[in-house]
Amino acid sequence: MRPWSLVSPASRGIGFAIARHLLRTTTAPLVATARMDLDKTKEELVAGLNGVDEERLTVLKVDVLDESTISAAAAHCTSHFPPTASPAHHLHLAFIIPGLLFPEKSPAQIDADDALLTFRTNTLGPMLMLKHFAPFLPRKSTPIDNSDADVLKGLPAIPTAAFMSARVGSITDNRLGGWYSYRASKAGLNQVVRTFDNHLRTASGEKAVAVGLHPGTVKTGLSRDFWGSTKKEKLFDRDWVAERLVEVVKGVRVEGRGKCWDWEGKEIPP
């Protein structure tokens, strides 16, 4: 068994923090993606991580608005992590987390172009990523030996594809309104996660699962406009959130598949 991990995108924000956390706490190869400045991204990801083998990290170009870049990245991974090798390579942990927010406060603020870009980034982007990277997840016939603690160090027991959702994507939890395109795109993503996990139930059985994640309000560029209106204790550091999300994924297991989980490990209703 030769597991590897994926974080897309990883050039900034939560993805950057998750990639650095995985470099520190796991031993498996890591593929990170960025839309540009690949060399700079790699340099920043490994900066200050003493003792980390930089050869474990590959940074590939991916723009979820351009399917050709996703296809090219997947082709690169096929050549470097062939799933037909013996022992087989397989994608063991994936964080697919592109995000864009236009916070419309009223219907009058809805802009068609902005809304379309939101859906292309938050919903269609992850769909295209799973289209090209789902084949790397284990199938029912994939032999997985969970007895090698060194190989699985820091990774979940069950190969997992995690997608960045949001609490505001919950229709049940929607009591405030607003944020039309963002809410709808994340609700759509939750449906994508559930549908993809149903596919994995058939294709992979209990050897791979998909989940959605809610990180809370994190001090990143995406939430910058809301830092001042967020209680200090509810505005999280990205490194802390990265650690929490990895721990949540490790704790979900088969019983929590296809659902959305927050940073505390609590289920968010659809």
Side-chain angles (χ1 to χ4, degrees):
M1 178 188 67
R2 297 178 181 177
W4 56 282
S5 299
L6 169 71
V7 180
S8 181
S11 56
R12 60 182 180 175
I14 299 174
F16 180 87
I18 290 175
R20 282 177 60 85
H21 179 74
L22 293 178
L23 286 170
R24 285 194 303 266
T25 60
T26 71
T27 59
L30 172 65
V31 175
T33 77
R35 289 188 297 119
M36 59 186 71
D37 299 328
L38 304 188
D39 291 339
K40 180 182 178 182
T41 297
K42 182 169 184 177
E43 180 181 338
E44 292 177 346
L45 283 171
V46 299
L49 298 184
N50 298 326
V52 171
D53 181 7
E54 295 184 17
E55 295 301 314
R56 285 175 50 208
L57 175 63
T58 301
V59 180
L60 301 178
K61 177 180 175 62
V62 166
D63 181 347
V64 295
L65 302 179
D66 181 354
E67 186 176 359
S68 68
T69 66
I70 302 174
S71 175
H76 179 96
C77 292
T78 297
S79 64
H80 283 70
F81 308 109
T84 57
S86 182
H89 295 266
H90 72 273
L91 179 56
H92 198 94
L93 177 59
F95 283 91
I96 299 174
I97 54 177
L100 183 68
L101 169 62
F102 293 101
E104 310 99 338
K105 295 180 180 179
S106 72
Q109 293 181 321
I110 297 172
D111 178 87
D113 289 337
D114 289 347
L116 180 59
L117 182 58
T118 299
F119 275 91
R120 290 188 65 200
T121 303
N122 296 353
T123 313
L124 181 58
M127 286 177 63
L128 294 175
M129 287 293 293
L130 69 86
K131 170 185 174 180
H132 291 279
F133 282 89
F136 296 105
L137 290 166
R139 294 298 187 258
K140 288 180 178 179
S141 60
T142 303
I144 298 180
D145 182 3
N146 289 329
S147 65
D148 192 336
D150 290 335
V151 171
L152 290 175
K153 177 184 176 182
L155 295 173
I158 301 171
T160 304
F163 298 80
M164 194 66 77
S165 184
R167 189 178 302 278
V168 296
S170 168
I171 296 174
T172 302
D173 192 66
N174 185 356
R175 299 178 178 87
L176 297 177
W179 295 27
Y180 290 84
S181 58
Y182 188 74
R183 283 184 184 275
S185 70
K186 292 300 186 178
L189 177 63
N190 290 342
Q191 184 69 280
V192 170
V193 171
R194 185 59 176 264
T195 302
F196 181 46
D197 186 70
N198 284 338
H199 163 77
L200 291 177
R201 289 173 183 265
T202 300
S204 305
E206 296 188 355
K207 290 186 176 180
V209 301
V211 297
L213 297 172
H214 166 61
T217 303
V218 186
K219 203 170 184 179
T220 66
L222 182 74
S223 64
R224 184 179 300 276
D225 291 343
F226 316 107
W227 293 357
S229 59
T230 302
K231 294 181 180 179
K232 185 177 180 180
E233 64 272 17
K234 293 294 186 179
L235 182 60
F236 303 136
D237 174 79
R238 66 180 184 178
D239 293 329
W240 182 84
V241 166
E243 181 178 349
R244 285 300 311 138
L245 293 181
V246 171
E247 290 305 307
V248 168
V249 168
K250 288 164 65 176
V252 167
R253 301 180 178 271
V254 172
E255 294 78 12
R257 65 186 307 163
K259 301 177 181 179
C260 184
W261 302 91
D262 73 7
W263 53 273
E264 290 186 293
K266 297 178 181 178
E267 182 183 353
I268 295 177

